[in-house]
Amino acid sequence: MADEQTQDNQLPEVSAEVEAAGGELDARIQVLEEELAAAQDKALRMAADLQNVRRRAEQDVEKAHKFALEKFAGDLLPVVDSLERGLELSSPDDEAIKAVREGMELTLKLFQDTLKRYQLEVVDPEGAPFDPEHHQAMAMQESTQVEPNSVLKVFQKGYLLNGRLLRPAMVVVSKAPAEVPPSIDEQA
């Protein structure tokens, strides 16, 4: 019986120690759960960052492939302009230059076909509404034949490379004719 009383007296001490250890364990578990949540969050953020870096790198490579010819194509455009200008200035009826003119026409067509193959599109907006995204206004001219803000004349064609503006078209834009102010009759 004395042993039972000793055991009964020890049980409250042991249970107090177990409760204290349990409290410490609960606190430790909570700290570890918070650290685990923080580590999972950090891993998730790092995975998202890695995915963003990959996507950006893929986009950069795609743009590099798409627009690698931009400078080279820009350097070739004056050649196309010169061929077109030469054809404009030469007479198709002149027998002395007929063979040269035909050669220029064939060369220009070959050049234009090659530019199309590499996704270079011509911006020739004559008669179209003025678009500041693709056209550069060189002058404005009054006109009654077309609506105001329309392209009357193209000085130099523009070009797009894969939908991106390589060179704007240089144009003359129409404006409404100036109204003549009514004359004042001073004798009235």
Side-chain angles (χ1 to χ4, degrees):
M1 189 118 175
D3 287 338
E4 287 178 20
Q5 284 182 352
T6 309
Q7 286 179 354
D8 286 341
N9 288 341
Q10 289 177 349
L11 281 178
E13 292 175 11
V14 170
S15 63
E17 287 178 19
V18 168
E19 280 184 33
E24 289 176 18
L25 287 176
D26 288 341
R28 179 72 176 143
I29 289 172
Q30 187 172 352
V31 167
L32 290 174
E33 285 176 348
E34 289 173 1
E35 287 177 4
L36 176 63
Q40 287 174 335
D41 184 56
K42 186 176 180 180
L44 190 62
R45 289 178 190 274
M46 290 178 82
D49 285 344
L50 182 60
Q51 185 178 8
N52 287 340
V53 167
R54 275 193 196 129
R55 191 180 70 245
R56 268 188 238 116
E58 288 171 1
Q59 289 173 346
D60 290 346
V61 167
E62 182 182 331
K63 285 180 183 178
H65 285 286
K66 249 183 168 178
F67 302 110
L69 295 176
E70 189 170 11
K71 183 165 176 40
F72 182 68
D75 289 344
L76 291 179
L77 294 182
V79 177
V80 174
D81 294 338
S82 294
L83 287 170
E84 288 175 342
R85 204 163 292 117
L87 287 172
E88 285 175 15
L89 296 175
S90 64
S91 171
D93 301 330
D94 190 353
E95 289 297 321
I97 62 166
K98 189 170 187 170
V100 172
R101 184 175 167 79
E102 285 177 11
M104 285 176 64
E105 287 171 347
L106 291 172
T107 303
L108 179 61
K109 182 172 179 357
L110 180 65
F111 226 122
Q112 289 170 335
D113 291 344
T114 302
L115 293 178
K116 282 182 189 175
R117 194 169 41 246
Y118 289 96
Q119 285 76 39
L120 246 81
E121 303 169 40
V122 177
V123 178
D124 189 6
E126 194 159 339
F130 176 73
D131 178 7
E133 296 285 322
H134 295 132
H135 310 148
Q136 181 177 353
M138 303 305 291
M140 293 195 76
Q141 183 177 331
E142 293 180 1
S143 175
T144 57
Q145 285 82 20
V146 295
E147 289 188 30
N149 226 17
S150 295
V151 175
L152 290 175
K153 182 180 178 185
V154 178
F155 285 130
Q156 187 178 54
K157 294 177 185 175
Y159 287 88
L160 300 172
L161 176 61
N162 289 312
R164 181 195 281 180
L165 186 66
L166 185 61
R167 180 178 82 184
M170 295 183 184
V171 298
V172 175
V173 182
S174 65
K175 66 178 180 178
E179 292 185 26
V180 179
S183 61
I184 300 174
D185 188 11
E186 292 179 11
Q187 293 182 7

